[in-house]
Coordinates of all heavy atoms in Angstrom, one line a residue:
E87 N 33.1 38.6 7.8 CA 33.1 38.9 9.2 C 32.4 37.8 10.0 O 31.3 37.4 9.7 CB 32.4 40.3 9.4 CG 32.6 40.7 10.8 CD 32.0 42.2 11.0 OE1 31.4 42.6 10.1 OE2 32.1 42.7 12.1
W88 N 33.1 37.4 11.0 CA 32.7 36.2 11.9 C 32.1 36.8 13.2 O 32.9 37.4 13.9 CB 33.8 35.2 12.1 CG 33.3 34.0 12.9 CD1 33.3 33.9 14.2 CD2 32.9 32.7 12.2 NE1 32.9 32.6 14.5 CE2 32.6 31.8 13.3 CE3 32.6 32.4 10.9 CZ2 32.1 30.6 13.1 CZ3 32.1 31.1 10.7 CH2 31.9 30.2 11.8
K89 N 30.9 36.8 13.3 CA 30.2 37.3 14.5 C 29.5 36.1 15.3 O 28.3 35.8 15.1 CB 29.2 38.3 14.2 CG 29.9 39.6 13.8 CD 28.8 40.7 13.4 CE 29.4 42.0 13.0 NZ 28.3 43.1 12.9
P90 N 30.1 35.6 16.4 CA 29.4 34.7 17.2 C 28.2 35.4 18.0 O 28.3 36.4 18.5 CB 30.5 34.2 18.2 CG 31.7 34.5 17.6 CD 31.5 35.8 16.7
N91 N 27.1 34.6 17.9 CA 25.8 35.2 18.5 C 25.1 34.1 19.1 O 24.4 33.3 18.5 CB 25.0 35.9 17.4 CG 23.8 36.6 18.1 OD1 23.5 36.5 19.2 ND2 23.1 37.4 17.3
Q92 N 25.3 33.9 20.4 CA 24.6 32.7 21.1 C 23.1 32.9 21.1 O 22.5 31.9 21.1 CB 25.1 32.7 22.6 CG 24.6 31.5 23.4 CD 25.1 30.3 22.9 OE1 26.1 30.1 22.3 NE2 24.3 29.1 23.0
S93 N 22.5 34.0 21.3 CA 21.0 34.2 21.3 C 20.4 33.9 20.0 O 19.1 33.9 19.9 CB 20.7 35.7 21.9 OG 21.1 36.6 21.0
F94 N 21.2 34.0 19.0 CA 20.6 33.8 17.5 C 19.7 32.4 17.5 O 18.8 32.4 16.9 CB 21.8 33.8 16.6 CG 21.3 33.4 15.1 CD1 20.5 34.1 14.4 CD2 21.8 32.1 14.5 CE1 20.1 33.8 13.2 CE2 21.3 31.7 13.3 CZ 20.5 32.5 12.6
L95 N 20.3 31.3 18.1 CA 19.7 30.1 18.0 C 18.4 30.1 18.8 O 17.5 29.1 18.6 CB 20.6 29.1 18.5 CG 21.8 28.7 17.8 CD1 22.7 27.7 18.4 CD2 21.4 28.3 16.3
D96 N 18.1 31.0 19.8 CA 16.9 31.0 20.6 C 15.7 31.4 19.8 O 14.6 31.0 20.2 CB 17.1 32.0 21.7 CG 18.2 31.7 22.7 OD1 18.6 30.5 22.8 OD2 18.7 32.5 23.3
R97 N 15.9 31.9 18.5 CA 14.7 32.2 17.8 C 14.4 31.3 16.7 O 13.6 31.5 15.8 CB 15.0 33.6 17.1 CG 15.2 34.8 18.2 CD 15.3 36.1 17.6 NE 16.4 36.3 16.7 CZ 17.6 36.7 17.2 NH1 17.8 37.1 18.4 NH2 18.6 36.8 16.2
W98 N 15.0 30.1 16.7 CA 14.8 29.1 15.8 C 13.6 28.2 16.2 O 13.2 28.2 17.4 CB 16.0 28.1 15.7 CG 17.1 28.8 14.7 CD1 17.5 30.0 14.8 CD2 17.9 28.2 13.8 NE1 18.4 30.3 13.9 CE2 18.8 29.1 13.2 CE3 17.9 26.8 13.4 CZ2 19.7 28.8 12.2 CZ3 18.8 26.6 12.3 CH2 19.7 27.4 11.8
F99 N 13.1 27.5 15.2 CA 12.0 26.6 15.4 C 12.5 25.2 15.2 O 13.3 24.8 14.3 CB 10.8 26.9 14.3 CG 9.9 28.0 14.6 CD1 10.2 29.3 13.9 CD2 9.0 28.1 15.5 CE1 9.5 30.4 14.2 CE2 8.1 29.2 15.8 CZ 8.5 30.4 15.1
R100 N 11.8 24.3 16.0 CA 12.1 22.8 15.8 C 10.9 22.3 15.1 O 9.8 22.4 15.7 CB 12.4 22.2 17.1 CG 12.9 20.8 16.9 CD 13.1 20.1 18.2 NE 12.0 19.5 18.9 CZ 12.0 18.9 20.0 NH1 13.2 18.7 20.8 NH2 10.8 18.4 20.5
L101 N 11.1 21.6 14.0 CA 10.0 20.9 13.3 C 10.0 19.5 13.6 O 11.0 18.8 13.5 CB 10.1 21.2 11.8 CG 10.4 22.7 11.3 CD1 10.6 22.8 9.9 CD2 9.1 23.6 11.8
N102 N 8.8 18.9 14.0 CA 8.7 17.5 14.2 C 7.7 16.8 13.3 O 6.7 17.5 12.9 CB 8.2 17.3 15.7 CG 9.2 18.0 16.8 OD1 10.4 17.7 16.7 ND2 8.6 18.9 17.5
S103 N 7.9 15.6 13.0 CA 7.0 14.9 12.1 C 7.3 13.3 12.2 O 8.3 12.9 12.6 CB 7.1 15.4 10.7 OG 6.2 14.6 9.8
H104 N 6.3 12.6 11.7 CA 6.5 11.2 11.5 C 6.0 10.8 10.2 O 5.0 11.2 9.7 CB 5.7 10.4 12.6 CG 6.1 10.5 13.9 ND1 5.6 11.3 14.8 CD2 7.1 9.8 14.6 CE1 6.2 11.2 16.0 NE2 7.1 10.4 15.9
V105 N 7.0 10.0 9.5 CA 6.7 9.6 8.1 C 6.6 8.2 8.0 O 7.4 7.5 8.5 CB 7.8 10.2 7.1 CG1 7.5 9.7 5.7 CG2 7.8 11.7 7.2
T106 N 5.3 7.7 7.5 CA 5.2 6.3 7.5 C 5.3 5.7 6.1 O 4.8 6.3 5.1 CB 3.7 5.9 8.0 OG1 3.6 6.4 9.4 CG2 3.4 4.4 7.9
I107 N 6.1 4.6 6.0 CA 6.1 3.8 4.7 C 5.3 2.7 4.8 O 5.6 1.8 5.7 CB 7.6 3.5 4.3 CG1 8.4 4.8 4.2 CG2 7.7 2.7 3.1 CD1 9.9 4.5 4.0
D108 N 4.3 2.6 4.0 CA 3.3 1.5 4.2 C 3.5 0.4 2.9 O 3.0 0.7 1.9 CB 1.9 2.0 4.2 CG 0.8 0.9 4.4 OD1 1.2 -0.2 4.8 OD2 -0.3 1.2 4.3
N109 N 4.3 -0.6 3.2 CA 4.5 -1.7 2.2 C 4.9 -1.1 0.8 O 4.3 -1.3 -0.2 CB 3.2 -2.4 2.1 CG 2.8 -3.1 3.3 OD1 3.8 -3.5 4.1 ND2 1.5 -3.4 3.7
L110 N 6.1 -0.6 0.9 CA 6.7 -0.1 -0.4 C 7.3 -1.3 -1.1 O 8.3 -1.8 -0.7 CB 7.8 1.0 -0.1 CG 8.6 1.4 -1.3 CD1 7.7 2.2 -2.3 CD2 9.7 2.3 -0.9
P111 N 6.8 -1.6 -2.3 CA 7.4 -2.7 -3.0 C 8.6 -2.3 -3.8 O 8.7 -1.3 -4.5 CB 6.2 -3.2 -3.9 CG 5.5 -2.0 -4.2 CD 5.7 -1.1 -3.0
I112 N 9.6 -3.2 -3.9 CA 10.8 -2.9 -4.7 C 11.2 -4.3 -5.4 O 11.3 -5.3 -4.8 CB 12.1 -2.6 -3.8 CG1 11.7 -1.2 -3.0 CG2 13.3 -2.5 -4.6 CD1 12.9 -0.9 -2.1
A113 N 11.0 -4.2 -6.6 CA 11.3 -5.4 -7.6 C 12.7 -5.3 -8.0 O 13.1 -4.3 -8.6 CB 10.3 -5.5 -8.7
V114 N 13.5 -6.4 -8.0 CA 14.8 -6.6 -8.5 C 14.8 -7.4 -9.7 O 14.6 -8.7 -9.5 CB 15.7 -7.2 -7.4 CG1 17.2 -7.2 -7.9 CG2 15.7 -6.3 -6.2
N115 N 14.9 -6.9 -10.9 CA 14.9 -7.8 -12.2 C 16.2 -8.5 -12.3 O 17.2 -8.3 -11.6 CB 14.7 -6.8 -13.3 CG 15.7 -5.7 -13.7 OD1 16.9 -6.0 -13.4 ND2 15.3 -4.6 -13.9
N116 N 16.1 -9.4 -13.2 CA 17.2 -10.4 -13.4 C 18.6 -9.7 -13.8 O 19.6 -10.0 -13.3 CB 16.9 -11.3 -14.5 CG 15.8 -12.2 -14.0 OD1 15.6 -12.6 -13.0 ND2 14.9 -12.7 -15.1
N117 N 18.5 -8.5 -14.5 CA 19.7 -7.8 -14.8 C 20.3 -7.1 -13.8 O 21.5 -6.8 -13.8 CB 19.3 -6.8 -16.0 CG 18.8 -7.5 -17.3 OD1 19.2 -8.7 -17.6 ND2 17.9 -6.8 -18.0
A118 N 19.6 -6.9 -12.7 CA 20.1 -6.1 -11.5 C 20.5 -6.9 -10.4 O 21.1 -6.5 -9.4 CB 19.0 -5.2 -10.9
M119 N 20.5 -8.3 -10.6 CA 21.0 -9.2 -9.5 C 22.5 -9.2 -9.2 O 22.9 -9.5 -8.1 CB 20.6 -10.6 -9.8 CG 19.1 -11.0 -9.7 SD 18.6 -10.8 -7.9 CE 19.6 -12.0 -7.1
D120 N 23.2 -8.7 -10.3 CA 24.8 -8.6 -10.1 C 25.1 -7.4 -9.3 O 26.2 -7.1 -9.1 CB 25.4 -8.8 -11.4 CG 25.3 -10.2 -12.0 OD1 25.0 -11.1 -11.2 OD2 25.3 -10.4 -13.3
H121 N 24.1 -6.4 -9.3 CA 24.4 -5.2 -8.6 C 24.5 -5.3 -7.2 O 23.9 -6.2 -6.6 CB 23.3 -4.1 -9.0 CG 23.2 -3.9 -10.4 ND1 22.2 -3.0 -11.0 CD2 23.9 -4.1 -11.6 CE1 22.4 -3.0 -12.2 NE2 23.4 -3.6 -12.6
P122 N 25.3 -4.4 -6.6 CA 25.4 -4.5 -5.0 C 24.1 -4.3 -4.4 O 23.2 -3.6 -5.0 CB 26.4 -3.3 -4.8 CG 27.2 -3.1 -6.0 CD 26.2 -3.4 -7.1
F123 N 24.0 -4.8 -3.2 CA 22.7 -4.8 -2.5 C 22.2 -3.2 -2.3 O 21.0 -3.0 -2.4 CB 22.9 -5.6 -1.2 CG 21.7 -5.4 -0.3 CD1 20.4 -5.6 -0.7 CD2 21.8 -5.1 1.1 CE1 19.3 -5.6 0.1 CE2 20.7 -5.1 1.9 CZ 19.4 -5.3 1.4
D124 N 23.2 -2.4 -1.9 CA 22.8 -1.0 -1.7 C 22.2 -0.4 -2.9 O 21.2 0.4 -2.8 CB 24.0 -0.2 -1.2 CG 25.1 -0.2 -2.2 OD1 25.2 -1.0 -3.1 OD2 26.0 0.7 -2.2
K125 N 22.7 -0.7 -4.1 CA 22.1 -0.1 -5.3 C 20.7 -0.7 -5.6 O 19.8 0.0 -6.1 CB 23.1 -0.4 -6.6 CG 24.4 0.4 -6.5 CD 25.1 0.3 -7.7 CE 26.4 1.2 -7.8 NZ 27.1 1.1 -9.0
Q126 N 20.6 -2.0 -5.4 CA 19.3 -2.6 -5.6 C 18.2 -1.9 -4.6 O 17.1 -1.6 -5.0 CB 19.3 -4.1 -5.2 CG 20.2 -4.9 -6.1 CD 20.2 -6.3 -5.7 OE1 19.5 -6.8 -4.8 NE2 21.1 -7.1 -6.4
L127 N 18.6 -1.6 -3.3 CA 17.7 -1.1 -2.4 C 17.4 0.4 -2.7 O 16.3 0.8 -2.7 CB 18.3 -1.3 -1.0 CG 17.3 -0.9 0.2 CD1 15.9 -1.6 0.2 CD2 17.9 -1.2 1.5
L128 N 18.4 1.2 -2.9 CA 18.3 2.6 -3.0 C 17.5 3.0 -4.4 O 16.8 3.9 -4.4 CB 19.7 3.3 -3.1 CG 20.3 3.2 -1.7 CD1 21.7 3.9 -1.7 CD2 19.5 3.9 -0.6

Side-chain angles (χ1 to χ4, degrees):
E87 189 175 4
W88 186 269
K89 289 184 177 180
N91 186 351
Q92 182 65 29
S93 63
F94 170 70
L95 295 177
D96 297 337
R97 299 188 294 271
W98 280 43
F99 285 98
R100 190 180 83 179
L101 310 176
N102 304 302
S103 183
H104 292 96
V105 176
T106 298
I107 298 179
D108 188 13
N109 295 332
L110 172 65
I112 300 176
V114 182
N115 60 41
N116 293 328
N117 297 330
M119 281 303 294
D120 294 335
H121 296 173
F123 176 45
D124 57 341
K125 290 187 176 181
Q126 295 177 7
L127 186 57
L128 294 177

